[in-house]
Amino acid sequence: MAVRDVASEPEEYRVTTLELFFDLVFVFAVTQLTGVLSHDMTPRGLAEVVLMFGVLWWMYAGYAWLTNMTPPTTVGRRLLVLTGMAGFFMIALATPGGFGTGGVVWGLGYLVLVLAHVVLFAQSNKHILRVLPANLLAALLIIAAGTLGRGVPVYVLWTVAMIVPIVQPYIVPPGGRFDIRPAHIVERHGLLVMITIGESVVAIGVGAGDRDLTAGLIATVLLGLALAAAIWWTYFSRDDAAAERALAEVDAATRANKTMSGYFYAHIPLIVGIIVMAAGVKYTVAAAWHPLPFRAAFALAGGAALFLLGDAWFRRVVGIGPSRIRIAAAVACAVGVPLAHLSAGAGLAAVTAVLAAAQLAEHAARERR
């Protein structure tokens, strides 16, 4: 896309409180996805979560890039971002029935998101109009799916709605270029991951519910908190300044490509992994030290492994550190499945220990270097 006029804007700025507010609403939608997976931990439930997240993530990334290039500092811009937030909230409310009775509302919320996005983006870059048809088509496909109830055609329409906007820029390039501001894009995604990790903490509380505070329950809850802390430590052990430098030191085109690969594509498994893991944690805390159903055990260990693989991919793309230890840790998370199937707490302890061991190994490697 064409370079925006930055003559009256600072070269660098940080994430605004409005953007953080926006992210809170987005993560509420993510919370709803966790609920969908918790209630239907089957391949179908996972497929629905992946499709809804894929569509949501595309527009979230669109807003992150939008505010990176056009800061919401005027009344008009703020109102448009708030309008987009209303669209996300509609989506969040409709998510439990997204593949049923809530499909039409889901699609209408997405349509609100698309329209607010293009109106605001077009103020600084008219080339955004070239990608508008694909985004509008995605919204209309979801609305159409909502009128069909359930069945194979619904999944086909959702799949096309997810794929079309992502593929369209490669078929019809938007023209010009993105001039990404590194400090803002790094901070924005870091805050998003932090809020998403908070969802796993909420899952611990939901899993505990109103159960008696036995020693076993307290031990499991603390292990769940330790796992959330390990996820936080793993992601934020990187140096944000190093990520900013890695993006700032390359030309604008390379920076845009690194941002797309690292902060869009690689963050998909990273965020989805946390969502899936949170669903597993919810069941784990509820089961305490009793056997965990296989699907819940797989969600717990598989979610952590998916997060690690996404994080390793992200680090490698951006160029901010080694990733082999994290890939090995992702493989080692598999031990949590049979252990959790025998005892939920044991599986939770194993997955937590794997992430902690990976961090210790990386620290030792850095000390040797």
Side-chain angles (χ1 to χ4, degrees):
M1 290 189 178
V3 182
R4 72 223 178 284
D5 179 12
V6 296
S8 61
E9 297 177 3
E11 285 301 314
E12 278 293 357
Y13 55 84
R14 294 294 176 177
V15 176
T16 64
T17 54
L18 178 58
E19 291 170 84
L20 184 57
F21 188 17
F22 184 94
D23 287 358
L24 288 172
V25 177
F26 171 73
V27 172
F28 173 55
V30 171
T31 301
Q32 295 289 76
L33 291 176
T34 302
V36 170
L37 188 59
S38 297
H39 286 97
D40 186 11
M41 202 167 283
T42 64
R44 184 185 69 179
L46 179 60
E48 291 179 0
V49 166
V50 169
L51 286 171
M52 286 190 283
F53 178 82
V55 176
L56 278 177
W57 184 244
W58 171 254
M59 279 312 299
Y60 174 80
Y63 272 86
W65 284 47
L66 163 64
T67 53
N68 182 273
M69 302 177 71
T70 308
T73 52
T74 67
V75 172
R77 292 177 181 179
R78 289 172 177 173
L79 288 175
L80 285 169
V81 173
L82 288 169
T83 301
M85 286 171 56
F88 258 132
F89 206 77
M90 290 173 62
I91 288 170
L93 293 175
T95 289
F99 282 77
T101 57
V104 173
V105 175
W106 210 106
L108 290 173
Y110 195 76
L111 183 60
V112 171
L113 267 177
V114 169
L115 293 176
H117 178 265
V118 72
V119 171
L120 181 51
F121 218 140
Q123 294 179 13
S124 60
N125 195 326
K126 300 296 185 183
H127 289 285
I128 191 64
L129 297 175
R130 299 183 66 179
V131 301
L132 176 61
N135 292 338
L136 287 176
L137 177 60
L140 295 176
L141 287 172
I142 295 168
I143 293 172
T147 66
L148 299 178
R150 283 190 174 272
V152 174
V154 174
Y155 291 94
V156 171
L157 290 174
W158 269 90
T159 301
V160 176
M162 181 182 71
I163 293 175
V164 166
I166 297 175
V167 171
Q168 190 268 348
Y170 297 98
I171 299 174
V172 183
R177 71 178 189 182
F178 284 107
D179 192 5
I180 298 296
R181 289 169 165 167
H184 177 274
I185 208 74
V186 170
E187 183 182 14
R188 180 73 185 269
H189 287 81
L191 289 171
L192 173 65
V193 171
M194 188 69 253
I195 298 172
T196 309
I197 292 172
E199 162 57 18
S200 66
V201 177
V202 173
I204 296 170
V206 173
D210 56 357
R211 290 172 174 77
D212 294 334
L213 294 178
T214 63
L217 178 63
I218 292 173
T220 309
V221 165
L222 292 178
L223 279 172
L225 183 60
L227 178 58
I231 293 290
W232 165 80
W233 204 310
T234 300
Y235 184 85
F236 290 99
S237 65
R238 64 183 175 83
D239 181 4
D240 278 354
E244 292 175 20
R245 286 195 301 271
L247 292 176
E249 290 172 355
V250 296
D251 60 78
T254 303
R255 186 184 311 135
N257 290 334
K258 280 182 174 287
T259 301
M260 176 63 77
S261 298
Y263 286 97
F264 178 72
Y265 290 112
H267 270 64
I268 292 175
L270 194 154
I271 299 289
V272 170
I274 297 175
I275 295 171
V276 173
M277 186 199 72
V281 167
K282 180 179 177 181
Y283 276 95
T284 301
V285 172
W289 296 89
H290 298 290
L292 197 63
F294 176 78
R295 288 172 179 169
F298 184 78
L300 172 67
L306 188 60
F307 160 78
L308 286 166
L309 291 174
D311 189 58
W313 179 13
F314 159 68
R315 291 168 67 87
R316 179 162 293 185
V317 167
V318 178
I320 57 172
S323 56
R324 292 180 181 178
I325 292 175
R326 299 182 186 217
I327 294 173
V331 176
C333 281
V335 71
V337 177
L339 285 177
H341 196 52
L342 294 174
S343 169
L348 180 58
V351 174
T352 304
V354 167
L355 267 75
Q359 285 304 299
L360 290 173
E362 287 191 355
H363 177 73
R366 284 193 295 269
E367 289 295 311
R368 287 196 300 271
R369 288 197 296 271

